[in-house]
Amino acid sequence: MKNKKIVLASASPRRISLLKEWGLDFEVVPSGVDEHTELVRPSYIVKTLSFKKGSDVASKKAGSLILAADTIVVLNGKIVGKPENEKESEIILRELNGSFHKVYTGVTIIDNVSGKQSIFYDCAGVKMRKLPEKELRQLFGKHMDKAGAYAIQDADDGFVEKIFGDYYTVVGLPYIKLFKELLKFDIRLKRRK
């Protein structure tokens, strides 16, 4: 894999940061695909959208290994996406306040040279604290680029009480499964500290 360029099909700052932390040398080429879907099953949604993103970038980057991902939040069977405005951020955060919900992250790896592919997902449960009104208001509009309108990695938020599963699935790249899958492509991630 030494001569093959790794391409991340995402502009997500948290995914970029994670891959750097895990020791990968890669190029960032965001996908411009439409993320609208008629699918309803969360695992299918994240796998399908990650594959669409990965395929889009793979068509532009011959001789590369493409890594794409998609993350959604599911609360009481309802998919919670990224807020479109601050009012929607408020509605989402009020719904999540004190809740238990699930976060699904789908990942696609495409080797443009061999044609080998891997498409998988991981799911983690998240228990949120019940924040008082003053603290909750401070989060409105803060994380407009994230599904669920919150950022688990933001220590200032203090919104997440407990995670059931892989923390990194909630951040946007499931480390445990990604580590295992990348080994099949002769790529090794650094061990987490």
Side-chain angles (χ1 to χ4, degrees), residues 166-181:
D166 187 340
Y167 164 86
Y168 294 100
T169 296
V170 183
V171 178
L173 275 176
Y175 176 85
I176 297 164
K177 287 191 174 181
L178 184 61
F179 184 96
K180 290 175 184 171
E181 290 300 315

Side-chain angles (χ1 to χ4, degrees), residues 95-120:
E95 286 178 353
L96 291 178
N97 198 21
S99 75
F100 173 84
H101 64 272
K102 291 181 177 176
V103 178
Y104 290 78
T105 294
V107 178
T108 294
I109 304 168
I110 300 172
D111 183 336
N112 251 353
V113 176
S114 70
K116 191 164 134 183
Q117 298 179 356
S118 176
I119 304 165
F120 60 95

Side-chain angles (χ1 to χ4, degrees), residues 24-68:
L24 281 190
D25 181 27
F26 61 96
E27 177 186 357
V28 175
V29 180
S31 163
V33 298
D34 177 13
E35 295 186 34
H36 176 75
T37 179
E38 297 298 322
L39 296 171
V40 292
R41 195 164 167 184
S43 59
Y44 289 178
I45 292 170
V46 293
K47 287 194 298 184
T48 301
L49 290 178
S50 75
F51 181 73
K52 275 175 73 174
K53 293 174 185 179
S55 298
D56 175 57
V57 173
S59 69
K60 303 167 190 165
K61 299 298 290 184
S64 302
L65 183 127
I66 314 300
L67 177 62

